[in-house]
Amino acid sequence: MENALSTVSSTLLSFFNSQALIAAYDVEIFEAIGDGATSQEVFEHCNLPESTGHQLLVAMVAMGFVEYRGDIYTLKPDMAPCLLKNGTQYMGTLARHASKFLYPLWANSAQAIRTNSNQRKETFGDERKWFDILYSEPNDVADFHAFLSVLADPFVESFLKGFNFSPYKAFLDLGSGRAALPRAILAANPHLNVAVCDLPEAVDHMRQELMSSGHSDQVDVYIGDVISGDLPEITQDLVHMGWMLHDYSIKTQKCILANVFKALPSGATFIASETPLLDDETGPTFVALLSINMLISSDGGIESTTAQYLDRLCEAGFTNVRAVTLDGPRTLLIGEKP
Ligand SMILES: C[S@@+](CC[C@H](N)C(=O)[O-])C[C@H]1O[C@@H](n2cnc3c(N)ncnc32)[C@H](O)[C@@H]1O
């Protein structure tokens, strides 16, 4: 009984945790702490009143992000890469995205469930498509792709370990975001020609990323839309599309798969990477909740089981359709164009 009460009440109030963390990123308390700082140094750096700055520091210590010893605040060493702007896993980008887009949308979650419709108009008064809203400000594009590529890192690592790229000549990543996957594939498989294709606003950001990592000459960049079917000529023998199907309704997923199938050369291998629901749809919790997130924010986006994804690949015409489970968070859903 005690456990049930604590599970229900702490779940209902779990936004305390996320909003306190969002505030901490927002006032840049972690940058102020850096390698170690007194409370006074933190208040001055962040320009915070002593009383509220202290409350936030106490919360960050209690939540396990910050340590306090001998009057000095330090970042927990294992947390620092996620907390600092120059950290390898910086999540301040997700904090901004969640604060600007997801929190306001989720306030209407019951309405979304009652009416089976996204809540963009109710929340932002905006009837544009999800990616049009998401991509209207360049900083939001950068934030979205920055946190996604950090979250994709374990997948990229397991994809490189668990898939044999050696029989292929050329790789195309559809909806590549920040092009993190193709850059990693190229580093591990220098024999491959590598290309990416995405929506125009994503491509603008991707080009800047490729320029700053010195990959501009090594990765071909195309603009394309898998829903309208307006795609560049695809000559690659290995084509991947990651975490995109779940952004769309089942009907649109079928349309995307049909367009990709049509555009692929005969003999090509297609891989969609997704994080499916368990076969009996009892979890995982994060994916079940992500499905509601897709309902609220996107155009009918929904999470599916592996079998449901594979059925859609078969329906599009792919053969030898199969799932490959990797160590990391995603499953490869593979098919070939005869
Ligand atoms: C959730 S992100 C996934 C990014 C990356 N592939 C990954 O696995 O982390 C979805 C990507 O699909 C792209 N995308 C969405 N709709 C698209 C469309 N109709 N045509 C082409 N790309 C699209 C987005 O711009 C974005 O880069």
Side-chain angles (χ1 to χ4, degrees):
M1 193 61 183
E2 205 40 47
N3 269 349
L5 179 62
S6 123
T7 302
V8 171
S9 58
S10 63
T11 302
L12 285 170
L13 297 179
S14 55
F15 71 92
F16 281 15
N17 296 52
S18 40
Q19 287 291 4
L21 186 56
I22 285 172
Y25 276 113
D26 192 49
V27 302
E28 304 202 345
I29 206 169
F30 304 123
E31 304 301 320
I33 293 172
D35 293 332
T38 64
S39 53
Q40 208 53 45
E41 286 167 339
V42 172
F43 306 150
E44 276 167 26
H45 184 285
C46 302
N47 196 20
L48 296 178
E50 284 192 18
S51 62
T52 54
H54 181 69
Q55 282 172 287
L56 190 57
L57 278 172
V58 168
M60 290 305 111
V61 172
M63 289 166 72
F65 299 113
V66 171
E67 289 175 325
Y68 180 52
R69 255 188 237 117
D71 283 345
I72 297 290
Y73 290 91
T74 51
L75 303 178
K76 276 259 182 76
D78 57 334
M79 294 288 173
C82 302
L83 302 177
L84 290 172
K85 280 183 192 166
N86 63 3
T88 50
Q89 299 180 313
Y90 181 58
M91 283 283 110
T93 49
L94 177 56
R96 282 195 292 268
H97 175 82
S99 180
K100 180 167 180 179
F101 296 107
L102 305 184
Y103 261 91
L105 283 162
W106 271 83
N108 293 319
S109 50
Q111 181 67 358
I113 288 163
R114 269 193 204 97
T115 57
N116 187 17
S117 59
N118 71 61
Q119 295 298 299
R120 298 198 300 267
K121 181 146 186 281
E122 290 72 5
T123 309
F124 306 119
D126 198 322
E127 298 198 64
R128 287 174 301 160
K129 291 187 180 140
W130 175 229
F131 278 102
D132 290 339
I133 295 178
L134 206 55
Y135 286 172
S136 50
E137 306 268 344
N139 285 345
D140 296 333
V141 181
D143 278 351
F144 181 63
H145 288 297
F147 77 75
L148 271 177
S149 74
V150 172
L151 296 178
D153 273 349
F155 158 66
V156 172
E157 201 178 309
S158 60
F159 192 12
L160 287 175
K161 269 197 206 137
F163 187 81
N164 180 11
F165 289 88
S166 59
Y168 299 97
K169 294 190 183 70
F171 173 79
L172 171 68
D173 196 23
L174 290 170
S176 194
R178 216 182 188 189
L181 174 68
R183 280 184 277 175
I185 288 180
L186 187 63
N189 302 275
H191 74 280
L192 278 175
N193 284 319
V194 170
V196 293
C197 173
D198 209 313
L199 297 170
E201 302 82 352
V203 160
D204 283 346
H205 176 63
M206 193 191 291
R207 284 205 169 103
Q208 291 165 24
E209 286 290 323
L210 291 170
M211 182 108 70
S212 51
S213 70
H215 286 88
S216 300
D217 296 340
Q218 295 167 49
V219 179
D220 295 323
V221 179
Y222 300 102
I223 290 175
D225 186 325
V226 292
I227 298 176
S228 69
D230 188 6
L231 291 166
E233 189 193 353
I234 298 181
T235 53
Q236 291 79 2
D237 53 354
L238 182 62
V239 176
H240 168 260
M241 190 169 73
W243 264 8
M244 201 212 289
L245 288 175
H246 77 159
D247 285 328
Y248 292 106
S249 67
I250 292 167
K251 187 171 165 215
T252 306
Q253 291 185 30
K254 290 180 178 180
C255 160
I256 291 172
L257 291 170
N259 286 338
V260 171
F261 182 82
K262 191 168 152 211
L264 249 54
S266 181
T269 299
F270 171 68
I271 303 177
S273 68
E274 293 288 340
T275 307
L277 285 166
L278 297 174
D279 293 346
D280 63 1
E281 300 195 52
T282 54
T285 309
F286 175 70
V287 185
L289 294 176
L290 193 58
S291 198
I292 297 178
N293 189 62
M294 292 303 160
L295 160 71
I296 296 167
S297 58
S298 73
D299 297 295
I302 189 165
E303 302 296 334
S304 303
T305 64
T306 300
Q308 288 165 338
Y309 280 127
L310 293 182
D311 277 353
R312 283 168 218 153
L313 260 72
C314 287
E315 195 180 318
F318 290 103
T319 56
N320 193 15
V321 165
R322 61 211 185 268
V324 172
T325 313
L326 300 172
D327 284 342
R330 298 195 204 177
T331 297
L332 302 181
L333 308 149
I334 309 180
E336 266 120 42
K337 177 160 173 176

Short mmCIF file of all heavy atoms in Angstrom, two decimals, residues 131 135 144-145 148-149 152 155 173-177 197-199 202 224-228 240-244 246-248 273 330, ligand 1:
data_model
loop_
_atom_site.label_atom_id
_atom_site.label_comp_id
_atom_site.label_asym_id
_atom_site.label_seq_id
_atom_site.Cartn_x
_atom_site.Cartn_y
_atom_site.Cartn_z
N PHE A 131 7.15 19.03 -38.11
CA PHE A 131 8.53 19.39 -38.47
C PHE A 131 8.62 20.84 -38.94
O PHE A 131 9.67 21.47 -38.80
CB PHE A 131 9.13 18.41 -39.49
CG PHE A 131 9.64 17.15 -38.83
CD1 PHE A 131 8.92 15.98 -38.89
CD2 PHE A 131 10.83 17.15 -38.12
CE1 PHE A 131 9.37 14.82 -38.25
CE2 PHE A 131 11.31 16.01 -37.49
CZ PHE A 131 10.57 14.84 -37.56
N TYR A 135 11.17 23.11 -36.98
CA TYR A 135 12.29 23.61 -37.77
C TYR A 135 12.16 25.10 -38.12
O TYR A 135 12.89 25.60 -38.97
CB TYR A 135 12.43 22.81 -39.06
CG TYR A 135 13.01 21.40 -38.89
CD1 TYR A 135 13.05 20.50 -39.96
CD2 TYR A 135 13.55 20.98 -37.68
CE1 TYR A 135 13.58 19.23 -39.81
CE2 TYR A 135 14.07 19.71 -37.52
CZ TYR A 135 14.10 18.84 -38.59
OH TYR A 135 14.64 17.58 -38.44
N PHE A 144 17.43 20.12 -31.41
CA PHE A 144 16.76 18.84 -31.69
C PHE A 144 17.79 17.80 -32.15
O PHE A 144 17.86 16.68 -31.62
CB PHE A 144 15.68 19.06 -32.75
CG PHE A 144 14.88 17.85 -33.13
CD1 PHE A 144 14.09 17.20 -32.20
CD2 PHE A 144 14.90 17.37 -34.43
CE1 PHE A 144 13.34 16.08 -32.55
CE2 PHE A 144 14.15 16.25 -34.79
CZ PHE A 144 13.37 15.60 -33.85
N HIS A 145 18.62 18.19 -33.11
CA HIS A 145 19.56 17.21 -33.65
C HIS A 145 20.74 16.96 -32.71
O HIS A 145 21.32 15.87 -32.72
CB HIS A 145 20.00 17.61 -35.04
CG HIS A 145 18.89 17.40 -36.03
ND1 HIS A 145 18.39 16.15 -36.28
CD2 HIS A 145 18.14 18.27 -36.73
CE1 HIS A 145 17.38 16.26 -37.14
NE2 HIS A 145 17.20 17.55 -37.42
N LEU A 148 19.33 14.47 -30.10
CA LEU A 148 19.05 13.18 -30.76
C LEU A 148 20.34 12.43 -31.07
O LEU A 148 20.41 11.21 -30.93
CB LEU A 148 18.29 13.41 -32.06
CG LEU A 148 16.77 13.45 -31.95
CD1 LEU A 148 16.16 13.76 -33.32
CD2 LEU A 148 16.19 12.14 -31.41
N SER A 149 21.37 13.16 -31.50
CA SER A 149 22.58 12.44 -31.87
C SER A 149 23.29 11.90 -30.63
O SER A 149 23.89 10.82 -30.69
CB SER A 149 23.51 13.27 -32.77
OG SER A 149 24.15 14.24 -32.04
N ALA A 152 21.44 8.86 -29.80
CA ALA A 152 21.66 7.81 -30.80
C ALA A 152 23.02 7.13 -30.66
O ALA A 152 23.24 6.06 -31.25
CB ALA A 152 21.52 8.39 -32.21
N PHE A 155 23.22 3.43 -30.07
CA PHE A 155 22.74 2.69 -31.26
C PHE A 155 23.83 2.65 -32.32
O PHE A 155 24.10 1.60 -32.92
CB PHE A 155 21.47 3.34 -31.81
CG PHE A 155 21.23 3.01 -33.26
CD1 PHE A 155 20.94 1.70 -33.64
CD2 PHE A 155 21.33 3.98 -34.24
CE1 PHE A 155 20.74 1.37 -34.98
CE2 PHE A 155 21.15 3.67 -35.58
CZ PHE A 155 20.85 2.36 -35.95
N ASP A 173 21.82 7.53 -45.76
CA ASP A 173 21.02 7.67 -44.54
C ASP A 173 19.88 8.65 -44.82
O ASP A 173 20.12 9.85 -45.02
CB ASP A 173 21.91 8.18 -43.40
CG ASP A 173 21.26 8.00 -42.03
OD1 ASP A 173 20.38 7.12 -41.90
OD2 ASP A 173 21.64 8.72 -41.09
N LEU A 174 18.66 8.15 -44.81
CA LEU A 174 17.47 9.00 -45.05
C LEU A 174 17.02 9.59 -43.72
O LEU A 174 16.84 8.85 -42.75
CB LEU A 174 16.33 8.15 -45.63
CG LEU A 174 16.49 7.64 -47.05
CD1 LEU A 174 15.38 6.61 -47.37
CD2 LEU A 174 16.44 8.79 -48.05
N GLY A 175 16.80 10.91 -43.66
CA GLY A 175 16.41 11.54 -42.40
C GLY A 175 17.54 11.45 -41.40
O GLY A 175 17.38 10.94 -40.30
N SER A 176 18.71 11.96 -41.82
CA SER A 176 19.95 11.67 -41.10
C SER A 176 20.19 12.60 -39.92
O SER A 176 21.08 12.37 -39.11
CB SER A 176 21.13 11.76 -42.06
OG SER A 176 22.27 11.20 -41.48
N GLY A 177 19.42 13.68 -39.81
CA GLY A 177 19.59 14.60 -38.69
C GLY A 177 20.94 15.29 -38.76
O GLY A 177 21.22 16.05 -39.68
N CYS A 197 20.31 12.28 -46.77
CA CYS A 197 19.17 12.97 -47.40
C CYS A 197 18.20 13.36 -46.30
O CYS A 197 17.89 12.55 -45.43
CB CYS A 197 18.52 12.01 -48.40
SG CYS A 197 16.99 12.64 -49.09
N ASP A 198 17.75 14.62 -46.31
CA ASP A 198 16.82 15.05 -45.25
C ASP A 198 16.01 16.23 -45.77
O ASP A 198 16.21 16.70 -46.91
CB ASP A 198 17.62 15.43 -43.98
CG ASP A 198 16.81 15.21 -42.70
OD1 ASP A 198 15.64 15.64 -42.66
OD2 ASP A 198 17.35 14.62 -41.74
N LEU A 199 15.11 16.73 -44.92
CA LEU A 199 14.31 17.92 -45.24
C LEU A 199 15.22 19.14 -45.33
O LEU A 199 16.30 19.16 -44.71
CB LEU A 199 13.25 18.13 -44.14
CG LEU A 199 12.22 17.00 -44.01
CD1 LEU A 199 11.38 17.20 -42.74
CD2 LEU A 199 11.32 16.94 -45.23
N ALA A 202 16.75 20.71 -42.10
CA ALA A 202 17.69 19.80 -41.45
C ALA A 202 18.99 19.77 -42.24
O ALA A 202 20.09 19.70 -41.66
CB ALA A 202 17.09 18.40 -41.34
N GLY A 224 15.50 15.87 -49.72
CA GLY A 224 14.46 14.97 -50.22
C GLY A 224 13.35 14.84 -49.19
O GLY A 224 13.51 15.19 -48.03
N ASP A 225 12.21 14.35 -49.68
CA ASP A 225 11.06 14.18 -48.79
C ASP A 225 10.48 12.79 -49.04
O ASP A 225 9.97 12.51 -50.13
CB ASP A 225 10.03 15.28 -49.10
CG ASP A 225 8.87 15.27 -48.11
OD1 ASP A 225 8.48 14.16 -47.66
OD2 ASP A 225 8.37 16.35 -47.80
N VAL A 226 10.56 11.94 -48.03
CA VAL A 226 10.12 10.55 -48.22
C VAL A 226 8.59 10.43 -48.26
O VAL A 226 8.07 9.39 -48.66
CB VAL A 226 10.69 9.61 -47.13
CG1 VAL A 226 12.18 9.43 -47.26
CG2 VAL A 226 10.31 10.07 -45.73
N ILE A 227 7.90 11.49 -47.85
CA ILE A 227 6.42 11.40 -47.87
C ILE A 227 5.90 11.81 -49.25
O ILE A 227 5.07 11.11 -49.85
CB ILE A 227 5.78 12.27 -46.77
CG1 ILE A 227 6.24 11.75 -45.41
CG2 ILE A 227 4.26 12.24 -46.87
CD1 ILE A 227 5.77 12.57 -44.23
N SER A 228 6.42 12.94 -49.77
CA SER A 228 5.96 13.34 -51.11
C SER A 228 6.58 12.42 -52.17
O SER A 228 6.08 12.34 -53.28
CB SER A 228 6.37 14.79 -51.39
OG SER A 228 7.77 14.86 -51.53
N HIS A 240 19.49 3.38 -45.06
CA HIS A 240 19.01 3.33 -43.67
C HIS A 240 18.08 4.51 -43.39
O HIS A 240 18.24 5.59 -43.97
CB HIS A 240 20.21 3.36 -42.70
CG HIS A 240 19.83 3.59 -41.27
ND1 HIS A 240 19.92 4.83 -40.64
CD2 HIS A 240 19.34 2.74 -40.32
CE1 HIS A 240 19.52 4.71 -39.38
NE2 HIS A 240 19.16 3.47 -39.16
N MET A 241 17.13 4.29 -42.51
CA MET A 241 16.23 5.37 -42.09
C MET A 241 15.97 5.17 -40.59
O MET A 241 15.36 4.17 -40.19
CB MET A 241 14.92 5.28 -42.87
CG MET A 241 14.03 6.46 -42.69
SD MET A 241 12.67 6.39 -43.90
CE MET A 241 11.71 5.08 -43.20
N GLY A 242 16.49 6.09 -39.75
CA GLY A 242 16.45 5.87 -38.30
C GLY A 242 15.44 6.74 -37.59
O GLY A 242 15.38 7.95 -37.80
N TRP A 243 14.66 6.13 -36.73
CA TRP A 243 13.73 6.83 -35.85
C TRP A 243 12.85 7.81 -36.61
O TRP A 243 12.57 8.90 -36.14
CB TRP A 243 14.50 7.55 -34.73
CG TRP A 243 14.55 6.75 -33.47
CD1 TRP A 243 14.15 5.47 -33.28
CD2 TRP A 243 15.06 7.20 -32.19
NE1 TRP A 243 14.37 5.09 -31.97
CE2 TRP A 243 14.93 6.12 -31.29
CE3 TRP A 243 15.62 8.40 -31.74
CZ2 TRP A 243 15.33 6.21 -29.97
CZ3 TRP A 243 16.02 8.48 -30.42
CH2 TRP A 243 15.87 7.41 -29.54
N MET A 244 12.43 7.40 -37.81
CA MET A 244 11.56 8.29 -38.58
C MET A 244 10.15 7.73 -38.71
O MET A 244 9.18 8.48 -38.62
CB MET A 244 12.13 8.59 -39.96
CG MET A 244 11.53 9.86 -40.53
SD MET A 244 11.39 9.86 -42.28
CE MET A 244 13.05 9.98 -42.80
N HIS A 246 8.31 6.15 -36.73
CA HIS A 246 7.44 6.38 -35.56
C HIS A 246 6.94 7.83 -35.47
O HIS A 246 6.06 8.12 -34.68
CB HIS A 246 8.15 5.95 -34.27
CG HIS A 246 9.19 6.92 -33.77
ND1 HIS A 246 9.61 6.95 -32.47
CD2 HIS A 246 9.89 7.89 -34.41
CE1 HIS A 246 10.51 7.90 -32.31
NE2 HIS A 246 10.71 8.48 -33.47
N ASP A 247 7.55 8.71 -36.26
CA ASP A 247 7.10 10.12 -36.28
C ASP A 247 5.77 10.26 -37.01
O ASP A 247 5.17 11.35 -36.98
CB ASP A 247 8.11 11.00 -37.03
CG ASP A 247 9.36 11.26 -36.21
OD1 ASP A 247 9.26 11.32 -34.98
OD2 ASP A 247 10.45 11.40 -36.81
N TYR A 248 5.33 9.22 -37.70
CA TYR A 248 4.17 9.36 -38.60
C TYR A 248 3.11 8.29 -38.35
O TYR A 248 3.38 7.24 -37.75
CB TYR A 248 4.66 9.30 -40.06
CG TYR A 248 5.49 10.52 -40.42
CD1 TYR A 248 6.87 10.44 -40.55
CD2 TYR A 248 4.88 11.77 -40.58
CE1 TYR A 248 7.63 11.57 -40.86
CE2 TYR A 248 5.63 12.90 -40.88
CZ TYR A 248 6.99 12.79 -41.02
OH TYR A 248 7.74 13.92 -41.30
N SER A 273 15.70 1.63 -38.52
CA SER A 273 16.01 1.35 -37.11
C SER A 273 14.98 2.06 -36.25
O SER A 273 14.73 3.25 -36.42
CB SER A 273 17.44 1.78 -36.75
OG SER A 273 17.59 3.17 -36.79
N ARG A 330 18.09 0.11 -30.17
CA ARG A 330 17.22 -0.02 -31.36
C ARG A 330 17.30 -1.40 -31.97
O ARG A 330 18.27 -2.11 -31.80
CB ARG A 330 17.62 1.00 -32.43
CG ARG A 330 17.47 2.43 -31.99
CD ARG A 330 17.54 3.35 -33.18
NE ARG A 330 17.95 4.69 -32.78
CZ ARG A 330 18.14 5.69 -33.62
NH1 ARG A 330 17.97 5.50 -34.92
NH2 ARG A 330 18.51 6.87 -33.18
C1 LIG B 1 13.58 11.74 -35.04
S1 LIG B 1 14.70 12.33 -36.23
C2 LIG B 1 15.86 10.97 -36.33
C3 LIG B 1 17.25 11.40 -36.70
C4 LIG B 1 18.26 10.28 -36.91
N1 LIG B 1 17.95 9.54 -38.13
C5 LIG B 1 18.31 9.31 -35.75
O1 LIG B 1 18.14 8.12 -35.99
O2 LIG B 1 18.54 9.72 -34.61
C6 LIG B 1 13.78 12.16 -37.75
C7 LIG B 1 14.55 12.64 -38.95
O3 LIG B 1 13.74 12.42 -40.10
C8 LIG B 1 13.72 13.60 -40.88
N2 LIG B 1 12.44 13.64 -41.60
C9 LIG B 1 11.20 13.79 -41.08
N3 LIG B 1 10.27 13.77 -42.04
C10 LIG B 1 10.93 13.61 -43.20
C11 LIG B 1 10.52 13.54 -44.56
N4 LIG B 1 9.22 13.62 -44.89
N5 LIG B 1 11.46 13.35 -45.52
C12 LIG B 1 12.78 13.27 -45.17
N6 LIG B 1 13.24 13.35 -43.91
C13 LIG B 1 12.32 13.52 -42.93
C14 LIG B 1 13.86 14.73 -39.87
O4 LIG B 1 14.30 15.93 -40.47
C15 LIG B 1 14.87 14.13 -38.91
O5 LIG B 1 16.18 14.34 -39.35
#
